[in-house]
Amino acid sequence: MNIHKLVQLPLWWRYERRRLALPPMLRRVTDRIFRVYEFWRVSQRVTRILGPRFSRSRTRIEIDITYACSLSCKSCNRSINQAPSNEHISLSQIHKFIKESVQGGHRWKEIRLLGGEPTLHPEFLSILDALREYRKIHRPKLQITVISNGYTERTQSILKKIPGDVCVENTSKISGYQIDFAPFNNAPRDYPEHTRSDFRNGCWITEGLGMGFTPRGYYHCAIAGGIDRIYNFKLGRQSIPDPGDSLQEQFTTFCSLCGHFCIHAPSATPEDGVSRSWRDAYAAWYERQKTAGPQKGQ
């Protein structure tokens, strides 16, 4: 096994998801170890030798079908609390995705529907039906998963209507406070610790959960699409990226703004969890809303 594969073992790149299950004292020790490793691994010098540690998935995709939500969670990585929106993907966009998937021979292993709260999409069940038909004809082993907060009675009633051949991940949230939400709005580029970081390295999400499809197009991860909603870089691909398209300019741009880039790095987090770049971006977003017309999908 070469060095590049060694440092990408699940022990390393799934740590962020599992750290909260560790006893506090052990977690503090492992956090220090992984923090040293993370900064070493994402440095420009090491990246030149080993290459980026993560790449975008070609077999898994997350579709943010709506940014409407029944909760307003602090540090939401889709900015739903920070910049509320009812924007959603249209059913015609889903049909276009299916057509491109068939014509391009894309071999999806899993399609995940989320947002926002996916059950709030006005055509949620029709979207499910379209994807199930695609699976029936073209990808019999495809897993279709719905991720829901399960928060309201309306959502619970819709979840009961989902056919049994669709997986449901009900996170069963009871409030807008989530203990496991990292400080997403802590942009690495705002801190001197990341002066020598190569943001093409990304994080485990792009491989572990898949690339993203949002109302603004396709991204190396769905979180990047949510960032683009606020910053308006307009970097989303308007068709499913070819297998040879690594989306590296998206990694460079969006990972420099995402608090998931390194495990609890940088060490200093603003009291409100929002660093300078994000304060400016949200202020600009709200200014644009004053003059903008109806949002796409509303």
Side-chain angles (χ1 to χ4, degrees), residues 45-223:
R45 180 176 298 179
V46 172
T47 303
R48 281 196 296 270
I49 298 171
L50 299 180
R53 60 178 181 163
F54 298 110
S55 59
R56 65 101 170 170
S57 177
R58 273 77 170 170
T59 59
R60 288 181 169 80
I61 187 166
E62 293 195 314
I63 306 179
D64 280 354
I65 63 173
T66 182
Y67 288 119
C69 195
S70 49
L71 283 170
S72 295
C73 300
K74 184 178 180 181
S75 290
C76 173
N77 61 24
R78 301 309 199 271
S79 294
I80 289 166
N81 173 51
Q82 306 91 314
S85 170
N86 289 321
E87 186 178 356
H88 58 257
I89 279 177
S90 66
L91 183 57
S92 62
Q93 285 177 287
I94 295 295
H95 285 304
K96 181 185 177 187
F97 161 73
I98 292 172
K99 182 178 179 180
E100 290 182 356
S101 294
V102 174
Q103 292 178 343
H106 296 282
R107 304 177 66 82
W108 304 116
K109 293 181 179 178
E110 182 179 19
I111 296 175
R112 294 161 56 87
L113 300 182
L114 61 167
E117 170 50 48
T119 61
L120 294 181
H121 192 291
E123 296 180 289
F124 170 67
L125 293 176
S126 296
I127 289 173
L128 267 186
D129 287 342
L131 292 173
R132 291 173 65 233
E133 183 69 13
Y134 160 68
R135 175 178 62 185
K136 178 181 177 181
I137 298 174
H138 300 284
R139 299 291 299 160
K141 295 184 179 181
L142 169 68
Q143 178 172 311
I144 300 172
T145 304
V146 173
I147 294 85
S148 170
N149 61 31
Y151 183 61
T152 66
E153 290 184 6
R154 178 184 182 278
T155 290
Q156 291 287 355
S157 66
I158 294 176
L159 291 178
K160 291 177 182 178
K161 297 177 182 179
I162 294 177
D165 59 0
V166 173
C167 298
V168 177
E169 291 185 14
N170 185 345
T171 57
S172 301
K173 292 182 172 64
I174 58 174
S175 75
Y177 175 71
Q178 314 304 330
I179 191 172
D180 59 341
F181 276 21
F184 162 68
N185 293 127
N186 212 24
R189 76 178 190 184
D190 289 342
Y191 296 90
E193 294 102 313
H194 281 288
T195 302
R196 295 182 177 85
S197 292
D198 190 327
F199 295 107
R200 293 178 301 156
N201 281 284
C203 75
W204 68 270
I205 290 173
T206 189
E207 287 190 6
L209 299 181
M211 62 177 292
F213 175 30
T214 81
R216 283 172 165 71
Y218 295 88
Y219 298 84
H220 68 279
C221 73
I223 294 173

Side-chain angles (χ1 to χ4, degrees), residues 176-275:
Y177 175 71
Q178 314 304 330
I179 191 172
D180 59 341
F181 276 21
F184 162 68
N185 293 127
N186 212 24
R189 76 178 190 184
D190 289 342
Y191 296 90
E193 294 102 313
H194 281 288
T195 302
R196 295 182 177 85
S197 292
D198 190 327
F199 295 107
R200 293 178 301 156
N201 281 284
C203 75
W204 68 270
I205 290 173
T206 189
E207 287 190 6
L209 299 181
M211 62 177 292
F213 175 30
T214 81
R216 283 172 165 71
Y218 295 88
Y219 298 84
H220 68 279
C221 73
I223 294 173
I227 296 174
D228 210 3
R229 178 174 75 88
I230 305 302
Y231 281 84
N232 204 32
F233 292 125
K234 300 180 180 178
L235 291 180
R237 301 287 196 271
Q238 297 309 300
S239 296
I240 300 175
D242 294 331
D245 186 353
S246 63
L247 305 179
Q248 284 296 287
E249 83 283 4
Q250 290 188 2
F251 280 85
T252 299
T253 300
F254 297 118
C255 295
S256 72
L257 296 163
C258 182
H260 294 297
F261 178 67
C262 269
I263 300 168
H264 286 261
S267 56
T269 301
E271 187 173 341
D272 62 356
V274 182
S275 66

